[in-house]
Structure formats: structure tokens, C-alpha cells
Amino acid sequence: MPVNFPDVQGKRDTVKEQVTEDMLKEVIDLYISETDSISLLDIPSTFVSVDADDAEPIMERNNQYAEACRSRMDNDKYVDQSVQTLNGATKNKQVQSDSIVMVDKATTVTSWDVYDSLISPDVSVGSTDSTGNNASGWVLSPVMSLLACIILLCFSSASAASSLKEVEALGNSLNAESDLQLIMLSEKFQHCLLVMERSILGNIFQPQLAAYRQLPVIEDPESPVKPGMGEQREEDAESPRSPAVVRLWAFSCELSRGSSVSSMAWNKKNPDLLAVGYGEFGSSNQKPGLVCCWSLKNPTWPERVIRCDSAVTSLDFSSNNPSQLAVGMQDGSIAIYNVKSRDNKACFISSSGCPNRHLDPVWQLRWTQQELSLTGEEKVESLFSVAADGRISKWFVSNNDLMKLKKKSVLSALTPGLCFDFHPTDASVYLVGTWEGLIHKCSCSNSQQFLETFKKHFCPVNHVTWSPLSPDVFLSCSADWTIQLWKQDHHKPVLGFTSTQRTVCDIKWSPKWATVFGAVNEGQLEIWDLNSSILDPVIVQPAAAGVKMNSLLFAPQTDCVLVGDSDGQVTVYQLRNLCVGDSSQVTLKGKVAFSMQRLLLAWPVEAKCSGCQLGTAGKINEWINELCKYIKNK
Amino acid sequence: MAEVEETLKRIQSQNGVQGIIIVNTEGIPIKTTLDNASTVQYAGLIHQLVMKARSTVRDIDPQNDLTFLRVRSKKNEIMIAPDKDYFLIVIQNPSD
């Protein structure tokens, strides 16, 4: 038998006939016909039909064979013989295959993991295709990463998988720089930083903020107790509780240092938000002004910084749209800013294009709700402004444009208005303080005449303010060193106050106590309580050296006072131990006032006249002293 | 971008702030004001802590997520602002 060598393959040389183009084009006829039947296997049947011719001898032979089989055992004719098949020689052949890599992987599935996998099916299996994807492509939950590993193993060999991981690690270190850039630019990071800064400052200012919010100030139990502090605390506990102000903190930053604070206003909706306007006054050059919106949660840096074209003289927040801040400037223009947007160009309305605009510094602005709108539900808010050109204007905001609706020019150009205030309940009546020292009561409906005039001051009236708790009582302060207390129907002031010989810059009623008001003259902060004394302020806080106090603001819902000064700082003071008796109505004061007025009218005529002239501030005090003694003795 | 840099500088200059670290998702610190050894240590340990804290919050309610984590210790306070792409870690000593 020839031995086959299947491994050895011989090559048969075949000669190929060159195929020419003519041969390709030749038409060749092919004939297909049936061939003869080729029989490959022919096994005749061993079955014979019973009806066949030779059936009988076959049946006989079958019977003979059956008989022979039966008698086979004992018969000598038949002998058993065995046969052995030869086993061929075996040959060993070996085949090697790649080993199967087995990796153990386990994961703990949590309920949020299942939730994530259900909700966000677009978390794809990461691959290192582009650097941009790398940052997010590998954020896989444990379940998905388990699947990812299995898939990787199925489709690649072990060596390929390990090289992939190396590429990942290399890729990541290169991407750290771009990661940082991406992160720093994202808005979420900015928000993150904001929250972080506030938490840090919350830690630093913890006791002061707690005092502001009238929470008990808790000492940090772990902080090291300084030896000096212990003694001081004992001293405080022992001394009698006299009214005082305690300095809590100051809003100041490098942007505002150097400019003087001109006005402050609380936001109507968010009681933690304070807008402060800064501007340089007294110098001839018009420096650009600044408005900073401070939040109580960050006393070191303002939330919003708005740069204005000229020095800011007045501010007010709107009540209807709490994010609108109206700013009046020294060049007479009024701008309305939207403090919600972080953009520096957040001004969306300015009156500089308006033909009827003011040309002189806008000394005060106020948003007031007056008329009902057409639907009768919401009150339309309009902006009133008083400026040094002697006009009081009412502005109406419509279609992103500031339009002047009615000119309430009750003052002539000779009498610049310095301040005004609307009556707390009747919004159509307001008071205006002028440069000449007159205070006019006017009405919105009558723009030609004053309703009343109050004459007392002989120097510019710096501020006039209605009492929020007692009706018909208002205060005015002026550069003639006095503060006057008026009642609406009396043409003469009911009470006058002086304490120092300086111009009184600002005066405000306390929102909580009807008999308490605060005043700043340039050198000190004074808190007066009419219940305890009408001669001297209850609390006096001198200003820091070289700094003049400019403006005052009471904090709503808490007993703190904010004072702005000429160095750009807004200091927060807390009023302590101010025992005020009955704070609902100014009844006691009313009685004193009434009796005093009766006495004033009963005095001889000369005394009354001399009390109204220049340079008699001291004399007025004398009279008041005597009257008080008189009343006390009664 | 400049605003972000300024805010970071302000935070760094606040009273008692010992260091700021920004860590990316894999736990690699990408910006730090501390020395290398401390940074790596803080980054690794805090990464695990934040994972655990986040897992806890989300186990209770999968729709909730961790927004801020403060760890107050005897000597200092570690404040962590975690996010999907990064962590911001600030270490402050409040009694300074």
C-alpha cells in the first residue's frame, strides 16, 4: 500500500495559456448534452419475491441453512476460529493554544446605582478616543464597569488589555492640565467657590453674625482660652447694663476704600442684601461712582460691583421687581440696574437719553406704589426723584425705557430740593426738604402749590423722614446742627434736639421702637430715645479718627444699625441694653410735646421770636431745659 | 476666568485657611496650595470619604445628591464641595 504523506504537498506546474484579446472576443459554441448513466454502486437485492421462478430452491437452501445452524454445536463439520485485527503503531502529536485569562471581579450594588443605570442609559463604556471625552467617559458606576471589564476581555487578548490600561494612565496625566482649565471655566465651579467662601467666612464671623441675627453667641468649646479674655468677660458681667453700641463688623473692600458712602438701601425681598453707593464729593473732578451689593454672608467682598459713570448720590430697591435697583448720580442721570445678572453691564435703563432728565445731582430716589394698574390687582410702582435743579419728577418704566410721566415741579430753580419722604400710609402726600431750610408738604395730585410749609431750619435740610410707627410725626435734620421733630398739623416743631455743633448728615427712625431714632453728624453716631431723655442722646459712638460718618440705616427685624463713612466703610453696630418702655405709640412724647407747646405759646412774645432766629441754637436748648424742669416739677 | 482666580486668591487669604486642593474624578490633585505629601494624602483619603458619604445620601433617596460636606475636628475644619467632575477641598483653622 503506498504510504500517504499528507503533509507534503507537491506543486504541479501548470502551463497557462496566454489569453489574448482576440480570443476573448471569439464566440465559442458550447454544447451541453446528457451523458450515459454512470453507475457508481450496484448492490443487488438479497430479497426474492415468493412469486419468482427460483423461489423454491432458495427456500430449500434457507431451510437447510437453518438446520445446519441448529446442529452446529455438536457437529464435527464445523469448527470455531477467532481472528485478531492488527493495531497500527501510534504517533503523538501536540498542539498548543493561548491560555484563557481568568479575572475575578466583584462589585457591591447599591440602590442608587440601580437607579442611575435605569435612568441614564447613555453612560457609555469609555474608550480613549479623544481627550475631551476622557474626563467624562470613565465615570462608570460599578455595575457598568463590571460589564466593561467582561467586554474588554472577550474582545481582546490579555496582553492587549494591559496595554490599554497603560494608555489610559498615560492619557490621564496628560489631561490633568486640560481638566483644570475645563473645571475652572465651568459655572458650577464658580457656584462651588461662592458657597465655599461663604462657609469659610461664616466660620470666621460666627459670633458677629449670631449677634446680628439675635441668636445666642456660643463660645467655641475647643478654642484655646486666652488669659486676657477671661478677665474682660467678668468685667462685662459685673458692670451695670447701660445702653451701648457694639461694633460687629464693617463692610469694606479695596474697591471702595477712599470713596465716601453716599447712600445705602436694603433689598425689599431679601433682607440680607444691602446696596451701597459710593462717590467722591467735595472734589471738583467727577470721579466715576460705584455701587456695591453686599450680602451679610460675605462681609469681605461684595456680591455685585457696578461701576457708574459718575458719583452715586442715591439708591433705592424696587418692591415690585426686587432685583431692580435705581441709582441716581451726580450728573443728574438715573439708571436702573438688574442685580440678578452677574454681567457688569447690567444696566438696562438709563435716563441719560431722556430729554426731560435732571441736570443736577439727584439727591434722593424712591420707588412708591401708588396707582392701581388696569387690572386693579397690582399696584403700579413709579420712581420719584428729587434733584438739585429744583424739580421732583415721577418716572414710569415702560418697555425698557424710562419715561417721565408727570413733572411735579413745585420748586423753582432757586430752591434745590435735597430730600423727600412719602407718608407711610397715604402715598400721595410727601414732604420735601430744601436748600433754604424749608420743608414743604406736597401732594401728588397738586403739582402747582404746596399744601403746607414748615419753617424752622435756616440751613439746608439734609434729611426728612416720617415716623413709621406714629402717624403724622416726622423728623428733619439739617446743617444748622439741629434735629427737629414735627407733628403734621403744627407749623412749629414740637421738639428740637442738638448735641454737638456739627451738621447732621442723616437721621432715621427705628423700625421697631416708636421713640427711638438715630442720627449721624460728621463726628459721631447718636441714638436718641425720647422716652428716656429729650436732651441728650442715649448712646453716642464717636467715629474713628480721620473718618466722617455720612449715612445711617437701621436694619429691619434686628436691633442693628449700619453707618457709612467717608472712608468707604459701612460699619454694623448692634444696639445693646436699650430699654425702651412702651414702644407701640408715642403717647408719652405726645403729652410732653403738647404741654410744651402750650407753654411755648404762653411764653412772652419776645422769647418766642428770638427762639426762631439765627445763632440761637444754644438758647433753644436753654428754653427746652427750663421747660423740662418745669414739667418734671409738675 | 479671572474672576475665578480672584475668588481663589481671596479664599486663600482669608483668616485661618491652611490650604486649598482641587481634585479631579480619579482622585488626582490638579491644583493645590499645600506640599505634595499632604496633598496626596488628603486627596486619597477624602476621595474615599466623599464616595462613602455620597453613597449614603443616595441610598436613602436616589434622587438626592451630596452638595457639601464639612468635617469639624479639634484642630481644624475640612470643607469639601463635591461635584461630578471634581472636588474642591479647603482646610481652615477657624480659631486663628
Side-chain angles (χ1 to χ4, degrees):
Chain A
M1 287 283 285
V3 182
N4 270 358
F5 294 102
D7 295 344
V8 176
Q9 286 170 354
K11 256 197 179 172
R12 271 184 230 141
D13 294 337
T14 49
V15 178
K16 277 195 179 171
E17 202 181 309
Q18 293 295 326
V19 176
T20 61
E21 255 195 68
D22 297 334
M23 285 172 73
L24 281 175
K25 284 186 192 164
E26 219 179 287
V27 177
I28 302 171
D29 294 322
L30 290 171
Y31 298 100
I32 300 169
S33 59
E34 205 180 306
T35 56
D36 298 331
S37 296
I38 306 169
S39 81
L40 297 166
L41 182 64
D42 187 13
I43 303 176
S45 166
T46 52
F47 282 94
V48 176
S49 168
V50 178
D51 300 327
D53 298 330
D54 51 357
E56 280 196 18
I58 289 172
M59 276 175 65
E60 271 183 38
R61 276 218 311 275
N62 284 351
N63 289 334
Q64 276 174 14
Y65 183 70
E67 260 192 53
C69 283
R70 258 178 272 141
S71 61
R72 186 170 66 94
M73 290 305 292
D74 299 325
N75 217 335
D76 287 330
K77 272 201 211 172
Y78 300 100
V79 176
D80 279 328
Q81 178 133 33
S82 49
V83 175
Q84 188 180 23
T85 50
L86 266 171
N87 288 334
T90 57
K91 186 177 172 186
N92 280 340
K93 189 154 169 100
Q94 284 170 344
V95 173
Q96 195 172 29
S97 71
D98 288 333
S99 67
I100 300 168
V101 177
M102 308 257 281
V103 172
D104 277 335
K105 188 122 174 102
T107 179
T108 321
V109 179
T110 52
S111 52
W112 56 267
D113 198 4
V114 176
Y115 175 84
D116 273 350
S117 316
L118 284 174
I119 292 298
S120 51
D122 50 335
V123 176
S124 54
V125 176
S127 59
T128 54
D129 42 2
S130 70
T131 58
N133 282 341
N134 221 13
S136 57
W138 289 101
V139 179
L140 299 173
S141 62
V143 169
M144 301 299 280
S145 64
L146 179 62
L147 292 171
C149 270
I150 295 168
I151 293 168
L152 268 174
L153 289 167
C154 291
F155 292 148
S156 64
S157 62
S159 54
S162 59
S163 68
L164 251 178
K165 281 191 194 124
E166 279 163 25
V167 172
E168 284 164 36
L170 190 64
N172 284 342
S173 63
L174 290 173
N175 284 330
E177 262 303 308
S178 58
D179 269 356
L180 183 62
Q181 292 296 317
L182 271 172
I183 288 171
M184 301 268 268
L185 288 171
S186 72
E187 237 194 71
K188 285 181 81 174
F189 188 69
Q190 290 182 6
H191 179 74
C192 225
L193 279 176
L194 178 81
V195 174
M196 185 64 79
E197 197 179 0
R198 285 186 179 184
S199 317
I200 294 171
L201 287 164
N203 275 339
I204 296 172
F205 286 100
Q206 162 75 24
Q208 290 101 320
L209 284 173
Y212 181 90
R213 301 217 191 260
Q214 295 175 313
L215 295 169
V217 179
I218 303 173
E219 291 275 327
D220 190 2
E222 297 292 337
S223 68
V225 180
K226 297 174 194 150
M229 289 283 287
E231 292 164 16
Q232 194 186 30
R233 254 179 267 135
E234 283 171 22
E235 274 178 29
D236 281 345
E238 286 168 12
S239 65
R241 305 193 131 218
S242 58
V245 284
V246 174
R247 181 188 185 280
L248 291 179
W249 74 82
F251 288 109
S252 87
C253 67
E254 58 197 18
L255 291 175
S256 63
R257 214 155 286 155
S259 338
S260 97
V261 173
S262 60
S263 54
M264 304 188 277
W266 288 106
N267 187 315
K268 305 284 192 292
K269 188 158 171 212
N270 181 357
D272 287 346
L273 200 62
L274 174 72
V276 180
Y278 301 88
E280 281 288 311
F281 300 111
S283 55
S284 51
N285 54 341
Q286 295 251 340
K287 263 201 215 170
L290 186 67
V291 173
C292 286
C293 288
W294 296 87
S295 164
L296 276 173
K297 296 169 188 148
N298 187 347
T300 58
W301 192 261
E303 299 296 311
R304 299 278 185 272
V305 173
I306 303 172
R307 296 195 183 275
C308 307
D309 296 325
S310 75
V312 173
T313 50
S314 56
L315 290 175
D316 199 21
F317 268 109
S318 158
S319 329
N320 271 2
N321 308 326
S323 60
Q324 282 187 11
L325 175 66
V327 177
M329 291 181 251
Q330 200 173 14
D331 62 0
S333 56
I334 299 172
I336 297 184
Y337 292 93
N338 187 356
V339 295
K340 254 194 203 166
S341 69
R342 282 203 156 259
D343 198 9
N344 205 18
K345 308 277 176 195
C347 164
F348 69 101
I349 302 179
S350 170
S351 81
S352 34
C354 198
N356 276 343
R357 64 192 175 94
H358 294 296
L359 299 160
D360 284 321
V362 177
W363 290 116
Q364 194 156 1
L365 284 177
R366 190 61 59 87
W367 289 93
T368 325
Q369 290 177 329
Q370 284 201 331
E371 309 139 4
L372 295 172
S373 68
L374 294 170
T375 55
E377 285 168 4
E378 220 183 68
K379 283 199 174 173
V380 169
E381 229 186 355
S382 38
L383 181 63
F384 280 79
S385 64
V386 64
D389 58 0
R391 287 187 299 181
I392 299 171
S393 317
K394 174 175 172 182
W395 302 84
F396 188 63
V397 179
S398 75
N399 297 338
N400 284 355
D401 202 13
L402 206 55
M403 242 171 41
K404 198 143 96 166
L405 204 59
K406 260 195 224 175
K407 203 166 76 164
K408 314 266 179 205
S409 62
V410 280
L411 306 164
S412 65
L414 298 170
T415 63
L418 283 176
C419 53
F420 68 149
D421 195 18
F422 281 86
H423 194 273
T425 46
D426 180 10
S428 63
V429 168
Y430 59 94
L431 294 167
V432 181
T434 65
W435 187 267
E436 298 171 335
L438 302 170
I439 301 171
H440 303 294
K441 182 166 106 172
C442 318
S443 162
C444 285
S445 48
N446 185 351
S447 64
Q448 300 303 319
Q449 296 172 338
F450 312 130
L451 294 178
E452 265 184 78
T453 304
F454 301 92
K455 274 192 211 169
K456 180 66 190 171
H457 293 289
F458 40 85
C459 282
V461 177
N462 279 334
H463 214 83
V464 69
T465 160
W466 288 100
S467 165
L469 295 168
S470 321
D472 304 334
V473 171
F474 64 92
L475 276 172
S476 65
C477 72
S478 105
D480 65 356
W481 311 335
T482 61
I483 302 166
Q484 305 290 341
L485 176 75
W486 310 77
K487 211 160 175 342
Q488 204 181 26
D489 306 317
H490 301 260
H491 290 276
K492 296 280 168 227
V494 172
L495 279 174
F497 313 93
T498 43
S499 60
T500 57
Q501 297 182 337
R502 281 186 191 229
T503 160
V504 185
C505 300
D506 205 350
I507 188 166
K508 289 267 178 0
W509 284 99
S510 160
K512 269 167 72 167
W513 300 301
T515 57
V516 174
F517 63 89
V520 277
N521 50 41
E522 290 169 350
Q524 59 194 27
L525 161 71
E526 298 167 355
I527 307 285
W528 295 76
D529 180 7
L530 295 170
N531 257 345
S532 8
S533 158
I534 55 174
L535 296 176
D536 288 313
V538 164
I539 306 170
V540 171
Q541 172 74 17
V547 162
K548 292 188 203 164
M549 292 182 172
N550 272 342
S551 49
L552 177 68
L553 193 62
F554 272 90
Q557 296 156 2
T558 174
D559 47 2
C560 288
V561 150
L562 279 76
V563 177
D565 61 22
S566 61
D567 195 29
Q569 287 201 8
V570 175
T571 318
V572 179
Y573 292 98
Q574 192 191 22
L575 303 169
R576 286 232 185 121
N577 305 327
L578 198 64
C579 336
V580 184
D582 180 13
S583 58
S584 56
Q585 278 287 318
V586 194
T587 48
L588 182 64
K589 186 182 72 67
K591 275 194 215 152
V592 169
F594 188 64
S595 49
M596 279 187 57
Q597 191 161 59
R598 236 179 350 147
L599 291 164
L600 261 176
L601 291 168
W603 276 134
V605 179
E606 314 89 67
K608 207 168 60 171
C609 288
S610 65
C612 302
Q613 277 171 14
L614 282 162
T616 50
K619 247 205 172 160
I620 293 174
N621 257 347
E622 271 178 43
W623 289 123
I624 292 172
N625 269 337
E626 292 196 31
L627 282 166
C628 279
K629 282 186 216 151
Y630 188 80
I631 292 164
K632 278 185 188 153
N633 291 338
K634 266 205 161 185
Chain B
M1 183 65 186
E3 214 186 285
V4 168
E5 289 282 355
E6 245 187 66
T7 315
L8 274 173
K9 251 187 253 168
R10 276 206 312 273
I11 292 181
Q12 175 68 22
S13 64
Q14 290 290 353
N15 230 356
V17 170
Q18 289 172 346
I20 306 178
I21 306 171
I22 305 180
V23 179
N24 71 357
T25 10
E26 290 100 13
I28 301 171
I30 52 180
K31 188 173 165 79
T32 174
T33 60
L34 294 171
D35 58 284
N36 212 12
S38 316
T39 304
V40 168
Q41 198 178 26
Y42 268 109
L45 293 169
I46 289 178
H47 184 91
Q48 296 173 31
L49 180 65
V50 172
M51 286 299 144
K52 191 68 184 166
R54 184 180 262 155
S55 176
T56 308
V57 167
R58 296 203 73 204
D59 262 345
I60 296 169
D61 178 7
Q63 290 177 334
N64 205 355
D65 197 5
L66 183 67
T67 53
F68 205 81
L69 185 62
R70 286 171 90 151
V71 181
R72 181 81 175 89
S73 71
K74 267 199 214 166
K75 294 193 183 166
N76 52 21
E77 179 165 359
I78 305 172
M79 286 175 272
I80 304 147
D83 187 66
K84 201 164 58 89
D85 305 324
Y86 59 85
F87 301 149
L88 171 67
I89 304 168
V90 174
I91 303 128
Q92 184 193 16
N93 191 352
S95 56
D96 266 353

